[in-house]
């Protein structure tokens, strides 16, 4: 117990001192392995982790989906999504905020990045909501919360990384995220309604558009809808694997951006460079997590936790509730990806041994991570939004605005915990 507990404390200390989590986990993982099995075997294991995973065919899914998301952003599809959602909802009370939620959900379905979704929608939706009298807290809160949908609605980079760490089928993880993602959209729309009910004053009403204009507005979403159906439909029908779907999705997004004439040679090169930078960062994080996972497993952490749980007669549900409480606490001091990489290698063997389904657990983990993206004091989505709005909206106002959305996320987490079929019905329907 002493070895792994010291290792965990040192990792947390290094992160607190500002060392990137990838290097914190690599350093502690290597030193811990050296202590347990010796220098030469530890060096061999480091080489094996980097070489085997770096050459892994399944890992190519990461840069390909990142490339797809970057092309989607470049094509300006978020603007068209917001326009279409706004065309159908603008005349309703809170219509602009509800349109923002739906646009965030649609954009995240082909972007896969929470931060990119929040940053993009802030530039598109925030000016409209401020113009028509929406409070700063609701306007900022709905964008910060809506952006979190990007890590659950497939393709999701977080689900890809979770699948690699736990050796789960990424295609099934993507399918498992669809219904909980839709539940998130519905929950956020309810949160908008609740916020408006508590707020005093009325928003300026927009006139309803003619039906023909509403139908025309849908033309802009055909690209995203077609891309989502192509990628997820192909996975569901077994036409291609998740990795092949990533390549097809990236090529489809490339065709869309070409047809919209949004891509020059310079922007194409910039997009590739940006994809390489993010891929490199994610690979270092992933390899660091795998190395650290090897260390804590050899140090006996799973066995010690198993013995601890047996003393208190924990079942799968009490274990999961304990894990989520830990996530809520960690979410106040760690950003989402770091939190997941640090904890999933520790928790998933216990969930598996207690009979839990790792696809279901993955969805629960991602929803818990979503909550951490908008909880103080870290709340990465909130801070990203703050950098965009600068001094026009305070950090306190944004955090106040996300409170109803956090409550809806907690309710969604409880529903998925009690009814696993919500996450498992689609993955279980394929071979």
């Amino acid at each position: 117990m002493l070895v792994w507990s010291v290792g965990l404390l040192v990792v947390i200390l290094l992160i607190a001192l500002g060392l990137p989590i990838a290097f914190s986990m690599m350093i502690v993982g290597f030193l811990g392995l050296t202590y347990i099995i010796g220098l030469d075997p530890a060096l061999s294991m480091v080489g094996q982790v980097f070489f085997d995973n770096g050459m892994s065919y399944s890992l190519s899914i990461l840069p390909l989906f990142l490339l797809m998301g970057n092309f989607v952003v470049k094509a300006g599809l978020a603007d068209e999504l917001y326009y279409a959602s706004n065309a159908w909802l603008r005349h309703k009370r809170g219509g602009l905020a509800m349109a923002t939620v739906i646009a965030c959900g649609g954009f995240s379905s082909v972007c896969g990045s929470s931060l990119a979704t929040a940053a993009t929608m802030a530039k598109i939706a925030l000016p409209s909501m401020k113009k028509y009298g929406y409070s700063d807290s609701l306007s900022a809160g709905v964008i910060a919360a809506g952006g979190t949908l990007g890590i659950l609605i497939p393709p999701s980079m977080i689900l890809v990384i979770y699948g690699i760490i736990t050796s789960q089928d990424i295609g099934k993880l993507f399918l498992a995220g669809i219904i909980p993602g839709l539940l998130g959209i519905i929950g956020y729309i309810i949160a908008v309604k609740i916020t408006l009910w508590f707020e005093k004053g009325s928003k300026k009403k927009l006139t309803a558009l003619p039906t023909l204009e509403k139908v025309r507005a849908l033309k802009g979403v055909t690209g995203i809808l077609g891309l989502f159906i192509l990628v997820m439909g192909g996975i569901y029908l077994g036409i291609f694997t998740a990795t092949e779907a990533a390549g097809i999705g990236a090529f489809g997004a490339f065709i869309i951006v070409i047809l919209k004439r949004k891509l020059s040679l310079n922007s194409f090169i910039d997009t590739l460079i940006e994809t390489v930078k993010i891929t490199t960062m994610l690979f270092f994080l992933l390899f660091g997590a795998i190395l650290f996972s090897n260390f804590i497993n050899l140090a006996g952490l799973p066995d010690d936790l198993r013995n601890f749980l047996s003393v208190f007669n924990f079942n799968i549900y009490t274990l999961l509730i304990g894990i989520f409480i830990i996530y809520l606490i960690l979410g106040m001091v760690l950003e989402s990806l770091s939190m997941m990489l640090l904890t999933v290698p520790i928790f998933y063997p216990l969930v598996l041994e207690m009979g839990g389904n790792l696809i279901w657990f993955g969805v629960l983990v991602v929803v818990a991570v979503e909550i951490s993206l908008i909880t103080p004091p870290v709340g990465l989505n909130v801070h990203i939004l703050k950098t965009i709005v600068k001094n026009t909206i305070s950090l306190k106002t944004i955090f106040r605005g996300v409170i109803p959305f956090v409550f809806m996320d907690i309710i969604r987490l409880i529903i998925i915990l009690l009814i696993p079929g919500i996450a498992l019905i689609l993955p279980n329907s394929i071979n």
Side-chain angles (χ1 to χ4, degrees):
M1 178 176 178
L2 179 64
V3 176
W4 63 256
S5 58
V6 170
L8 277 173
L9 288 173
V10 173
V11 166
I12 294 171
L13 178 62
L14 291 175
I15 295 171
L17 292 174
L19 186 68
I21 186 171
F23 296 112
S24 299
M25 290 190 295
M26 283 181 194
I27 291 170
V28 174
F30 173 70
L31 292 177
L33 288 169
T34 301
Y35 176 80
I36 295 171
I37 61 177
L39 180 61
D40 289 340
L43 287 171
S44 298
M45 187 172 289
V46 170
Q48 184 179 358
V49 166
F50 275 77
F51 181 80
D52 289 352
N53 289 285
M55 296 296 290
S56 170
Y57 170 74
S58 61
L59 261 185
S60 61
I61 193 173
L62 272 175
L64 288 171
F65 271 131
L66 283 170
L67 184 60
M68 184 181 90
N70 286 337
F71 279 140
V72 164
V73 173
K74 191 68 68 178
L77 295 182
D79 300 78
E80 296 174 348
L81 264 171
Y82 182 69
Y83 176 73
S85 302
N86 186 26
W88 287 86
L89 296 170
R90 54 180 276 161
H91 60 286
K92 298 184 179 294
R93 188 166 188 259
L96 292 180
M98 290 188 287
T100 301
V101 171
I102 293 173
C104 284
F107 184 67
S108 65
S109 69
V110 286
C111 175
S113 167
S114 172
L115 300 183
T117 301
T120 303
M121 294 309 303
K123 297 172 185 176
I124 298 168
L126 193 59
S128 295
M129 285 190 282
K130 289 177 74 69
K131 178 181 177 181
Y132 289 101
Y134 286 72
S135 66
D136 286 344
S137 60
L138 174 58
S139 302
V142 73
I143 293 170
T148 66
L149 296 168
I151 64 170
L152 180 59
I153 297 178
S156 160
M157 294 302 104
I158 292 283
L159 281 177
V160 170
I161 293 172
Y162 172 87
I164 292 169
I165 293 175
T166 59
S167 301
Q168 294 301 297
D169 187 298
I170 294 172
K172 289 187 175 182
L173 283 167
F174 282 174
L175 292 171
I178 293 176
I179 296 178
L182 294 175
L183 275 181
I185 293 174
I186 295 169
Y188 286 174
I189 290 175
I190 294 172
V192 169
K193 289 290 189 182
I194 292 173
T195 302
L196 291 173
W197 188 67
F198 279 103
E199 284 187 353
K200 295 180 179 179
S202 60
K203 313 292 174 288
K204 294 180 183 178
K205 282 192 175 183
L206 283 74
T207 56
L209 294 178
T211 303
L212 183 59
E213 192 168 339
K214 291 180 181 179
V215 174
R216 284 176 179 168
L218 295 176
K219 181 182 177 182
V221 304
T222 53
I224 280 187
L225 185 61
L227 200 57
F228 181 78
I229 291 174
L230 177 66
V231 171
M232 296 310 301
I235 293 174
Y236 182 78
L237 296 174
I239 299 172
F240 36 72
T241 65
T243 305
E244 292 165 346
I248 292 169
F251 181 72
F254 175 70
I255 295 299
I256 290 173
V257 78
I258 289 292
L259 292 176
K260 290 184 174 293
R261 299 181 180 179
K262 296 286 183 72
L263 194 67
S264 64
L265 179 60
N266 287 336
S267 63
F268 176 67
I269 294 173
D270 289 342
T271 300
L272 293 179
I273 292 173
E274 181 67 19
T275 302
V276 170
K277 286 181 179 178
I278 299 174
T279 300
T280 303
M281 178 195 72
L282 289 176
F283 274 22
F284 268 102
L285 282 167
L286 184 59
F287 297 166
I290 293 172
L291 195 64
F292 184 71
S293 176
N294 289 341
F295 155 61
I296 59 175
N297 286 332
L298 285 174
L301 174 59
D303 291 333
D304 289 340
L305 283 177
R306 196 177 301 114
N307 294 334
F308 172 79
L309 294 174
S310 64
V311 170
F312 291 95
N313 198 27
F314 275 27
N315 59 31
I316 183 67
Y317 290 102
T318 51
L319 170 65
L320 289 173
I321 290 170
I323 288 173
F324 300 142
I325 292 172
I326 291 171
Y327 275 136
L328 289 175
I329 295 170
L330 288 178
M332 297 179 182
V333 293
L334 289 177
E335 55 88 17
S336 56
L337 185 59
S338 302
M339 183 173 67
M340 194 200 76
L341 289 171
L342 191 61
T343 57
V344 166
I346 298 172
F347 293 143
Y348 90 84
L350 299 173
V351 173
L352 185 63
E353 182 165 321
M354 298 186 86
N357 183 291
L358 290 186
I359 300 289
W360 170 57
F361 179 61
V363 173
L364 290 169
V365 166
V366 172
V367 174
V369 169
E370 278 185 340
I371 298 172
S372 76
L373 286 169
I374 51 177
T375 51
V378 176
L380 203 55
N381 269 26
V382 173
H383 285 278
I384 287 293
L385 185 59
K386 176 60 179 173
T387 62
I388 295 171
V389 301
K390 297 181 179 170
N391 295 324
T392 59
I393 302 177
S394 70
L395 203 60
K396 180 181 177 180
T397 300
I398 303 174
F399 275 122
R400 187 171 70 247
V402 301
I403 290 173
F405 301 94
V406 171
F407 278 118
M408 293 310 301
D409 270 338
I410 293 173
I411 292 171
R412 177 170 48 138
L413 187 66
I414 294 170
I415 291 172
I416 299 169
L417 177 64
L418 297 177
I419 312 173
I422 290 174
L424 297 177
I425 184 170
L426 289 180
N428 286 347
S429 65
I430 64 173
N431 293 325

